[in-house]
Amino acid sequence: MSSSKPYAELPSSANNKEAVRAFTLAVPDADLTRIKTLVRLSNVASANYENTHADKSNEFGLTREWLAAAKERWENHFDWRKREQLVNSFPNFKAAIPVPHRGSPSDTSIEIHFAALFSKKKDAVPVVFLHGWPGSFFEFIPILRLLSEKYPDEAGLPYHVVVPSLPGYGLSDAPPAQRDFGLADAAWMLDHLLTKRLGFTSYVIQGGDVGSFIGRIMGARYPGCKAVHLNCCRVAPPPDFNPDHLDEVDKAGLKRTEWFTTTAVAYAMMHSTRPSTVGLVLMSNPLALLAWIGEKFLDWTDPASFPHTPKSGASSPSARDRYPYSIELMDEAIAGAALYYLAGCAPTSLYPYRDLSPRGKGGSATEHPSPDAHVNAPKILGYSFFPSEVMLAPKDWVARSGNLVFFKRHDKGGHFAALEQPAALLEDVEEFVKLLPAAES
């Protein structure tokens, strides 16, 4: 397969290039008309104490004001076709990947989508960016843009950049309906894509949220994965934990994590124990889906990444001259909800939670402290600390779960680091990749 689009030529290592096809995102007009109609006809609940945050505590969830404003914006201003143009400005592909059965290829295959920037440099390092829930490959578009601007010559790009839609998410197919599917299956399929389809003998994973768990599994189990960089790291306190030994940054991070685990994690319990119900509800109405994931976009990001939008366009407006939200972030939440709804993936995006929740089927087996998820030498582990992340860990905690060779704290940024602070995250990844040859030698 070849293409005239920059960065679109598959690497020479690719096996059976005909099995990887170029893909263009183009949602039918009828589907866009239908979703806009559903949004227009959707009801926003009347005002009450909780949805107006009358006590100003911000503890009850999404505000009615934000959802009403987002509904109006989706109806009258949000342009899905512009999002398509942005996606299609970069090379996109699909490849049929077998679904594993007991660690071996089965007779069933599904298509995995990925955006990519392929280099013509002979020693380019494959770097794979993995999203989570309620995210998508959309999160990494700013990094794709930064890379294409920094390395406008394909022969000078130091990396083969691959940004998949996880199985069951976004533009990838849903897993088979006749069998269970978990994080280990997703890890197997992504390794198959990278090593069997694209022919990479080694690669680096960068991941957040669900992608951090899948990335750790790949680092622990698959020889091709030589390095794992995380911006989200769930680790349990060590047995000898003494809070008095923490500095103020780590204390604030643990307080943020405590807020998440005590007051904001109910959604995950629902995902892990009642995914059928949640999936059916979310796909019944696009505005309901926006409310469910929009709350996370608002709560899990750093206000410094998406400051409230001025009403008048003034460069330094006072608080009263700003909306109580960021329109830029609202557009990202709308785009995410539209993708999940149009792709029909809201129900199948919930499967990881049975592995991630103690009350789910998988228990706590995939927690980062588990030996099954350690990234041990000679492989290397990196961690970027963004202060508004919802699962934060001190450096020495992370180091107990792998060969930590890179650690950096940032003063702003949250859970969606690639979307919020793309330049900072990319700089970290580039620094981390430079450590790979020394670790392998």
Side-chain angles (χ1 to χ4, degrees):
M1 192 221 71
S2 62
S3 172
S4 58
K5 184 179 288 187
Y7 312 101
E9 184 176 338
L10 292 177
S12 59
S13 61
N15 300 311
N16 187 11
K17 294 186 178 182
E18 297 305 316
V20 180
R21 62 181 180 88
F23 172 78
T24 300
L25 179 58
V27 173
D29 288 338
D31 290 351
L32 295 182
T33 299
R34 180 175 181 273
I35 196 172
K36 277 288 186 76
T37 301
L38 289 171
V39 171
R40 178 173 56 82
L41 296 175
S42 296
N43 182 56
V44 176
S46 58
N48 58 37
Y49 177 83
E50 288 81 11
N51 68 29
T52 57
H53 290 176
D55 67 350
K56 308 303 180 186
S57 65
N58 247 25
E59 65 178 335
F60 301 123
L62 194 67
T63 64
R64 183 186 187 278
E65 179 180 9
W66 187 91
L67 188 62
K71 177 181 185 294
E72 190 278 332
R73 186 159 182 84
W74 199 345
E75 283 184 62
N76 300 313
H77 304 288
F78 178 76
D79 188 344
W80 172 262
R81 294 300 185 203
K82 287 185 178 179
R83 179 61 52 141
E84 284 187 344
Q85 291 172 5
L86 181 59
V87 169
N88 294 330
S89 67
F90 301 100
N92 284 260
F93 306 87
K94 285 193 173 185
I97 306 296
V99 178
H101 177 67
R102 296 178 181 175
S104 299
S106 70
D107 294 334
T108 302
S109 293
I110 64 173
E111 287 204 317
I112 299 298
H113 159 265
F114 61 97
L117 297 177
F118 289 124
S119 175
K120 292 184 178 179
K121 199 170 184 287
K122 289 185 178 181
D123 59 350
V125 178
V127 181
V128 186
F129 292 88
L130 300 181
H131 67 83
W133 188 95
S136 71
F137 77 102
F138 284 175
E139 293 173 49
F140 299 103
I141 289 177
I143 285 182
L144 294 177
R145 181 189 292 116
L146 288 172
L147 282 167
S148 63
E149 292 171 352
K150 184 175 182 178
Y151 304 104
D153 181 359
E154 295 164 273
L157 178 64
Y159 324 104
H160 296 301
V161 181
V162 179
V163 184
S165 295
L166 297 180
Y169 285 74
L171 302 178
S172 288
D173 287 349
Q178 297 77 21
R179 49 151 294 184
D180 199 4
F181 190 89
L183 292 172
D185 298 306
W188 188 98
M189 294 186 72
L190 291 173
D191 179 78
H192 193 97
L193 168 67
L194 297 167
T195 60
K196 301 299 190 294
R197 287 288 182 266
L198 297 178
F200 299 140
T201 57
S202 65
Y203 57 85
V204 176
I205 292 288
Q206 196 292 315
D209 196 83
V210 174
S212 72
F213 290 91
I214 293 175
R216 274 196 176 263
I217 292 171
M218 295 172 77
R221 298 186 185 181
Y222 294 100
C225 184
K226 303 299 184 182
V228 178
H229 177 275
L230 308 173
N231 59 278
C232 172
C233 189
R234 187 176 82 177
V235 291
D240 58 351
F241 167 54
N242 184 343
D244 294 335
H245 295 165
L246 298 177
D247 63 18
E248 294 306 311
V249 174
D250 281 332
K251 287 179 181 178
L254 293 187
K255 186 175 181 180
R256 170 78 168 165
T257 302
E258 181 183 16
W259 162 81
F260 176 70
T261 56
T262 57
T263 68
V265 79
Y267 80 95
M269 300 302 295
M270 283 292 294
H271 287 191
S272 67
T273 60
R274 289 294 184 267
S276 176
T277 303
V278 175
L280 291 168
V281 169
L282 295 183
M283 282 305 298
S284 69
N285 184 285
L287 195 66
L289 178 55
L290 175 60
W292 192 250
I293 74 172
E295 177 198 71
K296 282 67 178 176
F297 275 84
L298 293 169
D299 283 354
W300 298 356
T301 52
D302 188 339
S305 298
F306 292 102
H308 293 176
T309 301
K311 295 178 181 178
S312 62
S315 58
S316 300
S318 64
R320 71 180 62 184
D321 293 326
R322 290 179 177 270
Y323 295 104
Y325 44 76
S326 162
I327 291 177
E328 182 184 0
L329 182 59
M330 180 180 286
D331 280 350
E332 290 299 330
I334 293 171
L339 176 65
Y340 273 54
Y341 195 86
L342 291 166
C345 72
T348 55
S349 71
L350 307 181
Y351 71 81
Y353 287 86
R354 292 196 300 284
D355 285 341
L356 297 175
S357 169
R359 293 184 180 271
K361 194 190 77 160
S364 58
T366 53
E367 281 193 2
H368 290 165
S370 166
D372 290 340
H374 283 193
V375 181
N376 295 322
K379 298 182 179 185
I380 60 173
L381 175 66
Y383 176 50
S384 294
F385 180 109
F386 291 90
S388 290
E389 169 58 56
V390 295
M391 290 182 283
L392 287 160
K395 178 181 179 180
D396 62 333
W397 295 19
V398 180
R400 293 169 183 252
S401 65
N403 179 28
L404 187 69
V405 301
F406 177 91
F407 175 86
K408 185 183 287 187
R409 282 177 171 173
H410 296 274
D411 59 6
K412 61 182 178 180
H415 186 71
F416 302 96
L419 184 65
E420 298 181 57
Q421 301 295 328
L425 182 63
L426 177 58
E427 181 179 293
D428 287 2
V429 171
E430 292 204 274
E431 288 184 30
F432 178 64
V433 170
K434 289 177 183 177
L435 301 176
L436 187 60
E440 288 185 317
S441 61

